[in-house]
Amino acid sequence: VKTQLLIPAAGLGVRLGAEGPKALVPLAGKPMLAHTLERFRPLGLIPAAIVLIAPEHRALFETALDAAFPGMALRLVPGGAERQESVANGLAALDADTEIVVIHDAARPFVATASIQASIEAAAEFGAATVAIPSVDTILEGDADAFLTATPDRTRLWACQTPQTFRTEVIREAHRRARADGFLGTDDASLVRRIGGPVKLVHGTRLNMKLTTPDDRRLAELIAGGQFV
Ligand code: CTP
Ligand code: MG
Protein backbone atom coordinates (compact mmCIF):
# COMPACT_ATOMS: atom_id res chain seq x y z
CA VAL A 1 0.00 0.00 0.00
CA LYS A 2 1.53 3.29 -1.05
CA THR A 3 1.82 5.55 1.99
CA GLN A 4 2.88 9.19 1.92
CA LEU A 5 3.83 11.59 4.70
CA LEU A 6 2.60 15.18 4.99
CA ILE A 7 4.32 17.47 7.49
CA PRO A 8 2.58 20.76 8.32
CA ALA A 9 5.47 23.14 9.05
CA ALA A 10 4.04 26.43 7.78
CA GLY A 11 3.23 27.92 11.18
CA LEU A 12 5.01 31.02 12.40
CA GLY A 13 5.68 29.81 15.94
CA VAL A 14 4.37 32.99 17.54
CA ARG A 15 4.04 31.41 21.01
CA LEU A 16 7.57 29.98 20.85
CA GLY A 17 8.90 33.40 19.99
CA ALA A 18 11.91 32.11 18.05
CA GLU A 19 13.96 34.14 15.57
CA GLY A 20 13.11 32.06 12.49
CA PRO A 21 10.50 29.40 11.62
CA LYS A 22 9.60 27.13 14.58
CA ALA A 23 10.22 23.94 12.57
CA LEU A 24 13.86 24.94 12.06
CA VAL A 25 14.62 25.79 15.69
CA PRO A 26 17.72 23.78 16.62
CA LEU A 27 17.46 20.99 19.21
CA ALA A 28 20.76 19.38 20.15
CA GLY A 29 22.32 20.99 17.08
CA LYS A 30 19.77 19.77 14.55
CA PRO A 31 16.57 21.46 13.30
CA MET A 32 13.34 20.32 14.97
CA LEU A 33 12.04 19.22 11.55
CA ALA A 34 15.01 16.87 11.07
CA HIS A 35 14.31 15.19 14.43
CA THR A 36 10.65 14.84 13.44
CA LEU A 37 11.42 13.33 10.03
CA GLU A 38 13.95 10.87 11.55
CA ARG A 39 11.08 9.18 13.39
CA PHE A 40 9.68 8.15 9.98
CA ARG A 41 12.94 6.77 8.58
CA PRO A 42 12.38 3.16 9.74
CA LEU A 43 9.07 3.17 7.81
CA GLY A 44 10.75 4.45 4.62
CA LEU A 45 8.58 7.57 4.56
CA ILE A 46 11.23 10.31 4.34
CA PRO A 47 12.03 10.34 0.60
CA ALA A 48 8.46 10.94 -0.66
CA ALA A 49 7.51 13.27 2.21
CA ILE A 50 5.83 16.60 1.49
CA VAL A 51 6.61 19.46 3.88
CA LEU A 52 4.20 22.41 4.02
CA ILE A 53 6.08 25.65 4.56
CA ALA A 54 5.56 29.40 4.61
CA PRO A 55 6.68 30.41 1.08
CA GLU A 56 8.99 33.16 2.34
CA HIS A 57 11.03 30.52 4.22
CA ARG A 58 11.71 28.24 1.24
CA ALA A 59 15.44 28.90 1.03
CA LEU A 60 15.90 28.27 4.77
CA PHE A 61 14.06 24.95 4.57
CA GLU A 62 15.94 23.86 1.44
CA THR A 63 19.27 24.48 3.09
CA ALA A 64 18.28 22.71 6.31
CA LEU A 65 16.85 19.64 4.56
CA ASP A 66 19.78 19.32 2.14
CA ALA A 67 22.11 19.23 5.13
CA ALA A 68 20.03 16.74 7.14
CA PHE A 69 18.96 14.44 4.28
CA PRO A 70 21.46 14.78 1.44
CA GLY A 71 20.27 13.30 -1.84
CA MET A 72 16.66 12.90 -0.65
CA ALA A 73 14.48 15.24 -2.65
CA LEU A 74 11.79 16.07 -0.12
CA ARG A 75 9.10 18.29 -1.59
CA LEU A 76 8.40 21.72 -0.16
CA VAL A 77 4.85 22.93 -0.84
CA PRO A 78 3.46 26.33 0.20
CA GLY A 79 1.09 26.15 3.16
CA GLY A 80 -1.77 28.52 3.94
CA ALA A 81 -2.68 31.00 6.65
CA GLU A 82 -4.40 28.29 8.73
CA ARG A 83 -3.19 24.76 9.45
CA GLN A 84 -6.25 23.34 7.67
CA GLU A 85 -5.31 25.20 4.48
CA SER A 86 -1.74 23.97 4.73
CA VAL A 87 -2.95 20.36 4.93
CA ALA A 88 -5.37 20.93 2.05
CA ASN A 89 -2.46 22.12 -0.10
CA GLY A 90 -0.55 18.98 0.88
CA LEU A 91 -3.46 16.71 -0.01
CA ALA A 92 -3.60 18.34 -3.46
CA ALA A 93 0.11 17.61 -3.96
CA LEU A 94 0.05 13.88 -3.10
CA ASP A 95 1.24 11.36 -5.69
CA ALA A 96 -1.68 10.01 -7.72
CA ASP A 97 -1.23 6.44 -6.43
CA THR A 98 -1.03 7.29 -2.71
CA GLU A 99 -3.57 5.22 -0.76
CA ILE A 100 -2.68 6.15 2.83
CA VAL A 101 -1.64 9.61 4.00
CA VAL A 102 0.10 10.21 7.33
CA ILE A 103 -0.23 13.79 8.59
CA HIS A 104 2.20 14.73 11.35
CA ASP A 105 3.05 18.14 12.81
CA ALA A 106 6.66 19.29 12.53
CA ALA A 107 6.17 20.52 16.12
CA ARG A 108 6.05 16.93 17.54
CA PRO A 109 9.65 15.70 17.13
CA PHE A 110 9.47 12.86 19.70
CA VAL A 111 6.72 10.69 18.25
CA ALA A 112 7.29 6.96 18.72
CA THR A 113 7.73 5.06 15.47
CA ALA A 114 5.44 2.36 16.95
CA SER A 115 2.63 4.95 17.22
CA ILE A 116 3.08 5.89 13.57
CA GLN A 117 2.93 2.23 12.56
CA ALA A 118 -0.19 1.64 14.68
CA SER A 119 -1.93 4.67 13.12
CA ILE A 120 -1.20 3.38 9.61
CA GLU A 121 -2.66 -0.04 10.45
CA ALA A 122 -5.76 1.53 12.02
CA ALA A 123 -6.29 3.84 9.03
CA ALA A 124 -6.04 0.93 6.62
CA GLU A 125 -8.69 -0.92 8.64
CA PHE A 126 -11.11 1.89 9.61
CA GLY A 127 -10.35 4.69 7.12
CA ALA A 128 -9.15 7.21 9.72
CA ALA A 129 -7.07 7.19 12.89
CA THR A 130 -5.48 9.67 15.24
CA VAL A 131 -2.82 9.17 17.84
CA ALA A 132 -4.04 10.46 21.22
CA ILE A 133 -3.52 9.82 24.92
CA PRO A 134 -6.10 9.36 27.67
CA SER A 135 -6.16 12.68 29.52
CA VAL A 136 -4.14 12.58 32.73
CA ASP A 137 -5.48 16.00 33.67
CA THR A 138 -9.05 16.76 34.64
CA ILE A 139 -10.20 19.09 31.84
CA LEU A 140 -12.29 22.12 32.80
CA GLU A 141 -14.67 23.99 30.58
CA GLY A 142 -14.73 27.69 31.37
CA ASP A 143 -16.64 30.74 30.18
CA ALA A 144 -15.32 34.00 28.77
CA ASP A 145 -14.82 35.42 32.29
CA ALA A 146 -12.80 32.38 33.43
CA PHE A 147 -15.50 30.82 35.62
CA LEU A 148 -15.94 27.07 35.63
CA THR A 149 -18.93 25.95 33.61
CA ALA A 150 -18.48 22.17 33.42
CA THR A 151 -16.14 19.31 34.27
CA PRO A 152 -16.50 16.60 31.62
CA ASP A 153 -15.96 13.01 32.78
CA ARG A 154 -12.20 12.52 32.46
CA THR A 155 -12.43 8.80 31.73
CA ARG A 156 -13.80 9.62 28.26
CA LEU A 157 -11.37 12.42 27.40
CA TRP A 158 -8.27 12.01 25.24
CA ALA A 159 -5.63 14.59 24.40
CA CYS A 160 -5.20 14.78 20.62
CA GLN A 161 -1.78 14.25 19.05
CA THR A 162 -0.48 13.49 15.59
CA PRO A 163 0.04 11.56 13.37
CA GLN A 164 -3.47 11.48 12.02
CA THR A 165 -3.62 8.88 9.29
CA PHE A 166 -6.25 8.32 6.62
CA ARG A 167 -7.20 6.53 3.49
CA THR A 168 -6.62 9.25 0.91
CA GLU A 169 -10.20 9.43 -0.37
CA VAL A 170 -11.54 9.73 3.19
CA ILE A 171 -9.50 12.78 4.17
CA ARG A 172 -9.94 14.43 0.76
CA GLU A 173 -13.72 14.17 1.07
CA ALA A 174 -13.61 15.47 4.67
CA HIS A 175 -11.57 18.51 3.62
CA ARG A 176 -13.83 19.14 0.64
CA ARG A 177 -16.92 19.15 2.88
CA ALA A 178 -15.27 21.32 5.56
CA ARG A 179 -14.36 23.90 2.96
CA ALA A 180 -17.87 23.82 1.42
CA ASP A 181 -19.40 24.33 4.90
CA GLY A 182 -16.92 27.04 5.93
CA PHE A 183 -15.79 24.84 8.83
CA LEU A 184 -12.30 25.45 10.21
CA GLY A 185 -10.87 22.83 12.55
CA THR A 186 -7.60 22.59 14.44
CA ASP A 187 -6.97 19.00 13.35
CA ASP A 188 -7.91 16.67 10.48
CA ALA A 189 -9.54 13.71 12.26
CA SER A 190 -12.32 16.03 13.46
CA LEU A 191 -13.15 16.82 9.83
CA VAL A 192 -13.77 13.12 9.19
CA ARG A 193 -15.86 12.74 12.34
CA ARG A 194 -18.05 15.75 11.57
CA ILE A 195 -19.23 14.05 8.37
CA GLY A 196 -19.94 10.80 10.19
CA GLY A 197 -16.79 8.78 9.49
CA PRO A 198 -15.25 6.48 12.10
CA VAL A 199 -11.93 7.61 13.57
CA LYS A 200 -9.91 5.09 15.58
CA LEU A 201 -8.04 6.42 18.62
CA VAL A 202 -4.53 4.98 18.77
CA HIS A 203 -2.54 5.22 22.02
CA GLY A 204 0.41 7.61 21.84
CA THR A 205 3.06 8.48 24.39
CA ARG A 206 3.53 11.42 26.75
CA LEU A 207 6.80 12.30 25.01
CA ASN A 208 4.89 13.06 21.80
CA MET A 209 4.12 16.56 23.05
CA LYS A 210 3.64 19.55 20.79
CA LEU A 211 6.42 22.07 21.25
CA THR A 212 4.60 25.35 21.69
CA THR A 213 6.17 27.59 24.34
CA PRO A 214 9.72 28.61 25.35
CA ASP A 215 9.47 26.15 28.29
CA ASP A 216 8.66 23.36 25.84
CA ARG A 217 11.76 24.30 23.86
CA ARG A 218 14.01 24.04 26.92
CA LEU A 219 12.55 20.66 27.84
CA ALA A 220 12.91 19.47 24.23
CA GLU A 221 16.57 20.48 24.25
CA LEU A 222 17.15 18.13 27.21
CA ILE A 223 15.24 15.28 25.58
CA ALA A 224 16.98 15.67 22.21
CA GLY A 225 20.34 15.88 23.95
CA GLY A 226 19.70 12.65 25.85
CA GLN A 227 19.81 14.35 29.28
CA PHE A 228 16.27 13.28 30.08
CA VAL A 229 15.26 9.69 30.53
N1 CTP B 1 0.94 24.87 10.76
C1 CTP B 1 0.90 24.95 9.37
N2 CTP B 1 0.27 26.00 8.76
C2 CTP B 1 -0.32 26.98 9.48
C3 CTP B 1 -0.29 26.91 10.90
C4 CTP B 1 0.35 25.85 11.51
O1 CTP B 1 1.43 24.07 8.69
N3 CTP B 1 -0.90 27.99 8.83
C5 CTP B 1 1.65 23.77 11.42
C6 CTP B 1 2.78 24.25 12.32
O2 CTP B 1 3.95 24.50 11.54
C7 CTP B 1 2.93 23.11 13.31
C8 CTP B 1 1.53 22.52 13.37
O3 CTP B 1 0.79 23.06 12.28
O4 CTP B 1 3.84 22.10 12.87
C9 CTP B 1 0.85 22.83 14.69
O5 CTP B 1 0.73 24.24 14.84
P1 CTP B 1 1.28 25.06 16.09
O6 CTP B 1 1.91 24.17 17.08
O7 CTP B 1 0.20 26.00 16.50
O8 CTP B 1 2.51 25.88 15.44
P2 CTP B 1 2.53 27.39 14.99
O9 CTP B 1 1.24 27.75 14.35
O10 CTP B 1 3.78 27.58 14.20
O11 CTP B 1 2.70 28.15 16.40
P3 CTP B 1 1.89 29.41 16.93
O12 CTP B 1 0.42 28.99 16.90
O13 CTP B 1 2.42 29.64 18.30
O14 CTP B 1 2.19 30.54 15.98
MG1 MG C 1 -0.61 27.73 15.49
Side-chain angles (χ1 to χ4, degrees):
V1 174
K2 165 120 183 214
T3 304
Q4 207 169 355
L5 173 62
L6 288 188
I7 302 274
L12 300 177
V14 172
R15 288 169 291 179
L16 193 71
E19 327 62 61
K22 176 162 101 173
L24 298 182
V25 159
L27 300 173
K30 218 169 62 170
M32 184 189 303
L33 175 60
H35 289 275
T36 305
L37 284 163
E38 278 299 340
R39 299 300 175 127
F40 294 83
R41 189 190 288 277
L43 301 170
L45 294 178
I46 299 179
I50 294 174
V51 182
L52 288 314
I53 61 161
E56 65 269 28
H57 294 144
R58 175 173 290 274
L60 290 172
F61 276 86
E62 273 174 359
T63 305
L65 287 173
D66 280 351
F69 306 103
M72 291 196 202
L74 287 91
R75 282 161 61 198
L76 301 177
V77 169
E82 300 288 345
R83 185 186 178 284
Q84 186 170 312
E85 295 170 37
S86 295
V87 172
N89 291 355
L91 292 174
L94 291 174
D95 294 344
D97 56 347
T98 293
E99 293 166 78
I100 297 275
V101 55
V102 181
I103 304 172
H104 182 72
D105 289 340
R108 295 185 188 270
F110 305 123
V111 61
T113 301
S115 302
I116 303 167
Q117 183 66 50
S119 79
I120 292 170
E121 285 164 14
E125 184 172 357
F126 302 108
T130 182
V131 175
I133 51 173
S135 182
V136 292
D137 295 313
T138 293
I139 304 294
L140 305 178
E141 189 184 288
D143 66 17
D145 301 317
F147 280 95
L148 179 63
T149 52
T151 308
D153 177 10
R154 192 186 69 195
T155 61
R156 290 163 46 102
L157 296 179
W158 298 63
C160 188
Q161 301 183 339
T162 66
Q164 299 194 327
T165 307
F166 308 92
R167 288 207 290 264
T168 307
E169 75 276 8
V170 169
I171 191 59
R172 283 208 167 119
E173 173 66 7
H175 267 262
R176 196 188 63 70
R177 293 270 298 275
R179 180 192 301 239
D181 299 342
F183 180 86
L184 197 62
T186 54
D187 77 313
D188 300 292
S190 301
L191 306 189
V192 172
R193 187 62 208 141
R194 70 179 281 282
I195 60 166
V199 179
K200 183 66 177 169
L201 302 179
V202 170
H203 279 266
T205 63
R206 295 266 278 164
L207 266 189
N208 185 25
M209 60 194 185
K210 183 157 68 78
L211 304 190
T212 308
T213 65
D215 276 351
D216 293 340
R217 180 181 180 174
R218 285 196 291 276
L219 181 56
E221 184 68 40
L222 296 181
I223 297 168
Q227 295 137 279
F228 173 96
V229 193

